[in-house]
Amino acid sequence: MKVNFVFQQPNLPPLVELAISWFIFLFGATGPIVIILAFVGIRGFLHITRFESGEGILYKLSPLTKLIIVISTTVAVSLTIWWFGAILTLVFWSLFFTLNEAKRKVLYVSYLLLSSILGVSTGFAFYTPYSVLQMAFNTNTLNVIWVWPSYFSFAGYEPYLTLQALYYGFQITFRFTAPMLAGLLLILTTTPSDLMRYLAKVKFPLPFIFALTVAMRTVPRIFDTLDTVVKLQLMRGLGYGKPSFLRPFYVLIAGLYGLVPTLIFLMKGAKYTAIAADTRAFNSTPRRTYMKEVKYTKADYVAWGLIVVLFVTVALLLAFGYGRGIPYVGY
Amino acid sequence: MGFNGIGGYLNRPGEIPVEVIIAYFVFALAIAIILGKRNGGLKAFKTVDWVYIGIGAAAAYVWEFIIGAIIGRAVPSGLSNFIDVGFWGRLFIVFIVAALVRKVGAGMITLFLFNFFSDLFHYGFSGEPMYFIYESLTYGLFVDLGIAITGGKIFGIGVTGSTSKVVALAAIEGGIIGFLWAFPDPIFYGAFFKPFLYGGVVNWSRIIYDLISFIPGDVVIGILAGLASNRVQKAVQV
């Protein structure tokens, strides 16, 4: 199908256009990195992936209920129009206010959200072929808002940035953000041992639950260890004397170098975890007993009610033609 | 609309016939079961092996979706096919887990847990259980085949002989498994799972380009990962 381009880009001197194109190219590629490194940092990830006890409503829900919320959210956003995903994103973002030390967590997760929106939007908008946009928006007319230098095509860019491509990228973002926030909330408000008990209840094999528990405990420890390894490398002179604006790149390089030392450190500790589990007769029988009984509270029943409401809303949206408006077909 | 984001499209232009895919996965599953039974199955795994697998799955998730993803954004998009920091990190970490556990099943279970974590933190279980099957029985199985074929002496670990022989074995085995790791994404995902889940058209010139552009990097990183796994295993066992 032939594409009709309506050129609406600003009329600027060629040099200014070139400078802006390169700025957008660099901002599109490095913007999310700068946001994450400058504001969240490696230690910031530790705070938004580590359980800390609290009193909010989410701490009272059973892990299974929270897992069902994560799965239901994914199903809901994958079936419905983009703004429903945006609403769910807002709902989950608001729930961060109910957490322990909410202010810091909301701040970190907001930076992460902004970075994800920028990253995913530009990740899709600049590269999406026009044929996909034609299919997604059911139109042959695309509004050009920027013309890239022709050599940008070597980096995979489409020749023109269109308004429809920006919409496409932005709307797709909410397919990722809502489940991402729901997943983080689950991790932040659930102890690994709680999750273990509930997964055992639904007959998940015990060794898998154990490995999963170890993995859950390991995620924040990875950030902690990697942060130390990165700082040690910087202390030993990596990037010393270089301009300060290059610092984030040296942090990235240190992160790259830090992979193997981090793994060795974590794996060396594995035998102590194994000894600790074995001395408690782990895996000596196919099933084990738990001191704490698995129980569901009033909060769980309310949450299940809300999940039903979520699916009823999805069904209504689909019935009224607010289903998946833009197909996620990638590029 | 399908179920859980699975469109179930079977006849998209260029899509690999479902019979071929089913034949592969039935065959892969049979191999996994046979190898598993021959080597004692999950019962052969000690507690420490499960800890290694848990740590490996978490590290692979953190690297591919957070740290590697951030570093990867600094790579110009035109080169991202050749330089995939996130994926290479996963390859590195899974190889190290395989070197530490050295029992058939380590690869598949690590990939299964990695996939679980990816869903929990990132994707939200959309398209499942297809990704569990895909990740475990392609990437995971290739690593386990390496373990089975070498009789648990993967990457030259436990092989008696000169250092150069051990180093050569680690590099060759790492390179071969790295080479195999270049195939699942373009062939299984690009030419079947992606159209099966989301529809669209399979662009075979893109698939071939992806495959060819993935191979050099995956082989080189596979060799390095094989060598590193051998060293890490020694460092951890001390």
Side-chain angles (χ1 to χ4, degrees):
Chain A
M1 260 194 300
K2 195 177 176 299
V3 187
N4 301 316
F5 291 108
V6 179
F7 289 89
Q8 296 171 318
Q9 82 275 27
N11 198 7
L12 296 168
L15 266 179
V16 177
E17 262 186 18
L18 189 68
I20 293 174
S21 289
W22 272 97
F23 177 79
I24 296 171
F25 177 81
L26 292 171
F27 180 73
T30 59
I33 304 173
V34 172
I35 290 172
I36 288 179
L37 287 181
F39 298 109
V40 179
I42 298 173
R43 199 149 276 278
F45 279 112
L46 189 150
H47 291 295
I48 51 174
T49 53
R50 180 177 63 187
F51 170 79
E52 284 167 11
S53 58
E55 293 298 317
I57 179 74
L58 290 170
Y59 297 94
K60 295 184 175 72
L61 289 180
S62 82
L64 208 57
T65 306
K66 284 181 266 193
L67 196 58
I68 293 168
I69 291 173
V70 176
I71 297 169
S72 306
T73 305
T74 314
V75 174
V77 295
S78 69
L79 292 178
T80 53
I81 196 162
W82 71 273
W83 50 255
F84 190 61
I87 292 170
L88 288 177
T89 302
L90 195 65
V91 169
F92 288 121
W93 177 79
S94 314
L95 283 172
F96 276 82
F97 283 97
T98 67
L99 301 181
N100 179 35
E101 284 195 63
K103 222 171 168 180
R104 186 168 61 176
K105 289 189 178 101
V106 168
L107 197 67
Y108 284 145
V109 88
S110 302
Y111 289 136
L112 187 67
L113 198 57
L114 180 64
S115 167
S116 302
I117 290 171
L118 275 175
V120 176
S121 295
T122 55
F124 278 91
F126 298 165
Y127 310 104
T128 307
Y130 306 129
S131 56
V132 171
L133 296 176
Q134 283 175 289
M135 186 167 50
F137 291 95
N138 197 23
T139 178
N140 290 332
T141 306
L142 301 178
N143 303 75
V144 177
I145 53 169
W146 195 257
V147 179
W148 302 112
S150 58
Y151 51 84
F152 271 28
S153 61
F154 289 109
Y157 275 45
E158 289 296 313
Y160 311 128
L161 175 63
T162 64
L163 205 57
Q164 285 77 9
L166 276 182
Y167 275 142
Y168 182 77
F170 180 71
Q171 296 181 13
I172 279 177
T173 301
F174 297 105
R175 298 251 166 89
F176 296 97
T177 51
M180 179 183 84
L181 294 188
L184 283 177
L185 283 169
L186 163 71
I187 301 301
L188 278 167
T189 58
T190 312
T191 63
S193 44
D194 262 349
L195 190 65
M196 193 168 169
R197 279 188 292 127
Y198 280 87
L199 287 176
K201 178 91 175 165
V202 291
K203 312 278 187 228
F204 218 69
L206 192 57
F208 276 93
I209 298 173
F210 177 67
L212 195 64
T213 312
V214 170
M216 270 185 78
R217 281 197 193 283
T218 305
V219 170
R221 283 183 63 213
I222 292 170
F223 292 119
D224 201 15
T225 312
L226 192 66
D227 186 51
T228 309
V229 173
V230 165
K231 281 177 180 158
L232 281 170
Q233 289 179 78
L234 296 177
M235 277 167 65
R236 292 180 67 182
L238 183 71
Y240 178 75
K242 299 288 187 300
S244 57
F245 73 90
L246 288 178
R247 192 182 152 79
F249 294 100
Y250 281 101
V251 172
L252 290 181
I253 291 166
L256 210 54
Y257 291 163
L259 173 63
V260 171
T262 303
L263 273 176
I264 290 177
F265 180 81
L266 292 169
M267 294 297 189
K268 264 180 165 305
K271 58 183 157 198
Y272 301 110
T273 311
I275 290 167
D278 282 338
T279 50
R280 288 164 177 80
F282 167 73
N283 224 7
S284 59
T285 55
R287 294 189 60 80
R288 53 172 287 182
T289 53
Y290 293 89
M291 241 169 68
K292 285 187 187 172
E293 277 299 307
V294 169
K295 57 182 178 186
Y296 298 102
T297 61
K298 204 173 162 184
D300 287 304
Y301 298 122
V302 173
W304 293 344
L306 288 173
I307 291 168
V308 172
V309 171
L310 175 72
F311 280 114
V312 170
T313 312
V314 169
L316 286 174
L317 285 170
L318 292 177
F320 285 104
Y322 292 108
R324 192 160 60 169
I326 293 185
Y328 169 46
V329 288
Y331 54 87
Chain B
M1 197 158 290
F3 160 76
N4 193 24
I6 304 170
Y9 306 103
L10 288 173
N11 294 309
R12 306 307 299 176
E15 186 175 348
I16 293 177
V18 68
E19 294 83 358
V20 175
I21 297 294
I22 289 175
Y24 168 80
F25 280 104
V26 168
F27 184 63
L29 195 65
I31 287 180
I33 291 169
I34 292 166
L35 288 178
K37 285 207 165 176
R38 192 177 289 171
N39 293 281
L42 295 183
K43 282 181 187 159
F45 281 67
K46 291 180 186 163
T47 308
V48 72
D49 297 328
W50 291 107
V51 182
Y52 288 141
I53 288 169
I55 293 172
Y61 158 74
V62 166
W63 191 269
E64 180 147 351
F65 287 93
I66 301 177
I67 297 161
I70 295 170
I71 296 172
R73 290 201 67 79
V75 177
S77 55
L79 296 178
S80 61
N81 259 35
F82 296 91
I83 304 168
D84 192 343
V85 183
F87 179 76
W88 288 350
R90 185 196 336 171
L91 183 151
F92 227 89
I93 292 161
V94 173
F95 279 24
I96 287 172
V97 172
L100 289 166
V101 178
R102 299 195 303 283
K103 293 184 183 98
V104 174
M108 285 184 282
I109 298 166
T110 307
L111 264 297
F112 181 90
L113 282 178
F114 162 78
N115 197 56
F116 186 89
F117 259 71
S118 316
D119 278 330
L120 198 59
F121 283 100
H122 199 79
Y123 295 125
F125 298 92
S126 175
E128 294 300 1
M130 304 313 291
Y131 289 107
F132 280 116
I133 297 168
Y134 159 64
E135 297 272 357
S136 307
L137 290 178
T138 56
Y139 299 112
L141 183 69
F142 296 159
V143 173
D144 286 337
L145 280 176
I147 297 173
I149 290 167
T150 57
K153 294 179 176 176
I154 195 164
F155 306 132
I157 297 161
V159 172
T160 49
S162 64
T163 310
S164 52
K165 182 186 168 188
V166 172
V167 168
L169 274 176
I172 292 167
E173 286 164 19
I176 291 171
I177 302 174
F179 174 76
L180 290 174
W181 271 48
F183 285 80
D185 187 65
I187 303 295
F188 287 96
Y189 183 70
F192 180 75
F193 281 106
K194 192 174 168 188
F196 177 73
L197 295 168
Y198 309 116
V201 175
V202 178
N203 180 350
W204 270 94
S205 51
R206 174 71 195 256
I207 300 276
I208 300 294
Y209 172 73
D210 282 350
L211 180 62
I212 292 169
S213 56
F214 288 164
I215 288 173
D218 288 0
V219 170
V220 171
I221 297 297
I223 291 169
L224 293 175
L227 294 168
S229 301
N230 188 298
R231 301 290 296 174
V232 170
Q233 188 271 342
K234 282 179 187 158
V236 171
Q237 299 300 339
V238 171

